[in-house]
Amino acid sequence: MELEGYKELKEITDYLQNPEQVFKEEKAANIALHSGLSGVIITLVNIRKKFPELVDPDIIRQYIAKTYDILSESEAFYPSFCGGLAGYAYLLHLLKEEQILEGDYSEILAEIDEILDEHFEINLEEEDIDILHGAMGLGLYFIETGKKQQVEALVDRLAGIAQREGDQCYWKTFDHYKTRKYKIDFGLAHGNAGVQYFLGKCIYHNIKADACKELLQASLNFYKNNTQNHNAIQSYFPVHIPEENYLDKTYTPETSRMAWCYGDLGILYTQLFAADIMEMPDLKSEIIGQLKQTAQRRTKENTMHNDAGFCHGTSGLSIMFQNIYQLTKEPEFLETAQYWLQQTHAYKNSTAAYDVVAYRLFEGSRKNEIDVTLLEGISGVAAAYLANLTTGGTTLLDKTLFLRY
């Protein structure tokens, strides 16, 4: 796939460096890391690290300047890591580390930090720990910038609101949109697997490591005690369980999709890295076995994929299996990664206009083939081609997407 992969990567990279095309997409007119222009920037930066011939640094600088203009012209911003100020500040920090950021952004970052500190306290008070949109997302930025006091406060809050049962624990989420009741979300994007990733990252950075290890172990115990019969259900874990049904043991097992956001792959990927950081070789071996079973899920009906995007589509599957192969060196994971990259390519729209690179992409239930963003758009597709061409992983993108500590 290497020659074709490079060709496809170049085609997308060229497209992402065409401002006229990029800014036709309204989402490019916001600073969001996962769902806006910042995601395009971090994608181009990561591509340039591996293939400098593909990326014009002046375009990166132009896009960075554009984000500053967007920020200057707007009156209010969402604080989140996924779609707002925390993610944007995280981008600026990474660009500074990569020695790409020109000029003095300290005043901007100081203003953002002040806003984030205020929202962080509100998140803690309201028990909004969501990694994409709540306190843990802000915590990721605080970890990277050395704001240890805030991270420690978040770990304490996670310990305080954990629902404990013997040697296990979980965190509950209030469903504001459907049931108006509490649920136990198993996923990476908004649920308990996201907490596991955050705790693992704290351990990696030696922030309240003992407390984080205890919480992470209890959370892993919860998943182990609530593993479904894969042969019967076709997935190890559900999407979520209504808490009242969990407590009275009346819930029905369900098949979850295979994706980054929800389902077995995002969960087991997170737990594989958790087993590594916790130095638990037996658990790591067990998870590798479960991942091998998961890798056999290939049909649309079984995986529930419907597009090429990263979040819930085929490019995310390819990247995760590629990284799993790099960690385990098990050849079937490499084959699986290449299979999902082929499926990503199959979603390419070959009938698009000559100056448009289009894949089947969905923003929620809305089809949007010109989406340029990282989480649901063509930047995520580019990341899959890049991961396939890179033996050492795509460090900046992986950290941005919770795939690396």
Side-chain angles (χ1 to χ4, degrees):
M1 186 69 192
E2 184 166 346
L3 289 176
E4 183 182 352
Y6 183 86
K7 172 179 172 291
E8 297 299 330
L9 178 64
K10 182 181 186 306
E11 185 177 49
I12 296 175
T13 304
D14 288 346
Y15 185 78
L16 290 176
Q17 294 179 95
N18 183 340
E20 183 179 347
Q21 293 292 350
V22 167
F23 292 108
K24 285 181 180 179
E25 160 62 301
E26 60 183 19
K27 290 162 72 174
N30 73 70
I31 62 169
L33 183 58
H34 285 167
S35 55
L37 186 57
S38 292
V40 177
I41 294 170
I42 200 68
T43 302
L44 292 173
V45 168
N46 218 145
I47 293 170
R48 190 169 186 271
K49 285 174 72 71
K50 174 65 177 176
F51 300 111
E53 74 277 10
L54 293 183
V55 179
D56 181 353
D58 287 339
I59 292 293
I60 294 176
R61 286 190 281 268
Q62 179 181 336
Y63 287 173
I64 294 169
K66 178 66 174 178
T67 64
Y68 181 66
D69 290 341
I70 294 169
L71 191 68
S72 301
E73 294 167 3
S74 301
E75 296 181 359
F77 274 101
Y78 201 42
S80 81
F81 186 86
C82 171
L85 292 172
Y88 179 63
Y90 182 88
L91 169 74
L92 295 181
H93 175 75
L94 290 182
L95 294 178
K96 185 177 180 181
E97 285 194 331
E98 293 294 319
Q99 299 182 333
I100 292 173
L101 198 62
E102 297 179 344
D104 184 6
Y105 281 74
S106 57
E107 186 175 335
I108 299 170
L109 287 170
E111 292 179 11
I112 291 175
D113 282 357
E114 185 176 342
I115 296 169
L116 293 182
D117 286 343
E118 180 182 344
H119 280 278
F120 182 68
E121 293 301 322
I122 295 171
N123 288 157
L124 293 186
E125 183 178 341
E126 296 179 349
E127 301 181 8
D128 179 5
I129 61 171
D130 192 287
I131 197 166
L132 285 183
H133 303 302
M136 288 192 299
L138 275 60
L140 295 178
Y141 168 64
F142 293 150
I143 289 173
E144 292 296 330
T145 54
K147 300 187 76 171
K148 189 175 179 180
Q149 184 176 348
Q150 285 92 330
V151 182
E152 290 178 340
L154 176 51
V155 173
D156 290 341
R157 190 59 168 154
L158 289 172
I161 65 176
Q163 307 299 302
R164 294 186 177 270
E165 300 176 298
D167 67 347
Q168 66 177 17
C169 77
Y170 64 86
W171 289 267
K172 61 185 180 181
T173 305
F174 190 76
D175 186 347
H176 292 276
Y177 303 104
K178 294 182 179 179
T179 65
R180 304 289 298 173
K181 295 180 180 180
Y182 282 102
K183 63 182 180 182
I184 305 170
D185 189 319
F186 281 70
L188 173 57
H190 302 288
N192 282 254
V195 181
Q196 292 177 347
Y197 171 78
F198 181 78
L199 293 171
K201 192 173 180 76
C202 288
I203 295 167
Y204 180 82
H205 288 273
N206 198 29
I207 301 173
K208 300 207 80 162
D210 289 342
C212 290
K213 287 178 180 178
E214 188 277 326
L215 286 170
L216 182 52
Q217 179 66 72
S219 178
L220 291 169
N221 291 343
F222 173 78
Y223 276 79
K224 186 176 182 64
N225 294 336
N226 289 279
T227 302
Q228 301 178 148
N229 183 332
H230 190 278
N231 291 334
I233 309 301
Q234 300 299 303
S235 65
Y236 289 105
F237 306 107
V239 175
H240 60 77
I241 298 174
E243 189 187 33
E244 61 183 9
N245 297 132
Y246 170 76
L247 294 173
D248 63 20
K249 306 301 180 186
T250 60
Y251 64 90
T252 302
E254 65 173 4
T255 304
S256 57
R257 72 190 311 160
M258 197 165 86
W260 170 83
C261 52
Y262 285 104
D264 289 352
L265 186 56
I267 294 167
L268 292 171
Y269 183 104
T270 302
Q271 294 182 356
L272 181 65
F273 279 77
D276 229 23
I277 198 74
M278 294 280 282
E279 299 181 342
M280 301 172 67
D282 290 344
L283 176 61
K284 183 176 178 179
S285 295
E286 180 181 345
I287 292 169
I288 289 173
Q290 291 174 320
L291 283 165
K292 288 181 177 180
Q293 186 74 30
T294 302
Q296 296 177 27
R297 295 174 64 179
R298 299 281 174 106
T299 67
K300 284 188 178 183
E301 294 75 21
N302 187 269
T303 60
M304 306 180 202
H305 71 83
N306 191 40
D307 76 327
F310 175 83
C311 179
H312 41 264
T314 55
S315 62
L317 303 181
S318 181
I319 292 171
M320 285 188 284
F321 277 115
Q322 182 74 32
N323 286 0
I324 293 166
Y325 167 71
Q326 295 295 339
L327 183 64
T328 66
K329 301 305 179 185
E330 297 278 354
E332 59 199 272
F333 294 132
L334 178 60
E335 184 277 327
T336 305
Q338 292 171 342
Y339 170 83
W340 286 114
L341 191 64
Q342 292 284 359
Q343 297 306 304
T344 299
H345 185 261
Y347 274 131
K348 185 178 180 181
N349 182 354
S350 59
T351 63
Y354 76 94
D355 58 345
V356 174
V357 180
Y359 283 71
R360 180 180 173 87
L361 299 165
F362 277 86
E363 177 189 350
S365 60
R366 183 175 75 93
K367 189 174 182 180
N368 182 10
E369 289 191 338
I370 63 168
D371 190 330
V372 296
T373 65
L374 180 57
L375 201 62
E376 296 179 315
I378 202 169
S379 290
V381 177
Y385 289 119
L386 180 63
N388 181 256
L389 296 164
T390 307
T391 56
T394 54
T395 307
L396 299 180
L397 287 167
D398 285 350
K399 289 176 68 175
T400 300
L401 295 165
F402 319 150
L403 299 180
R404 184 186 296 256
Y405 294 141

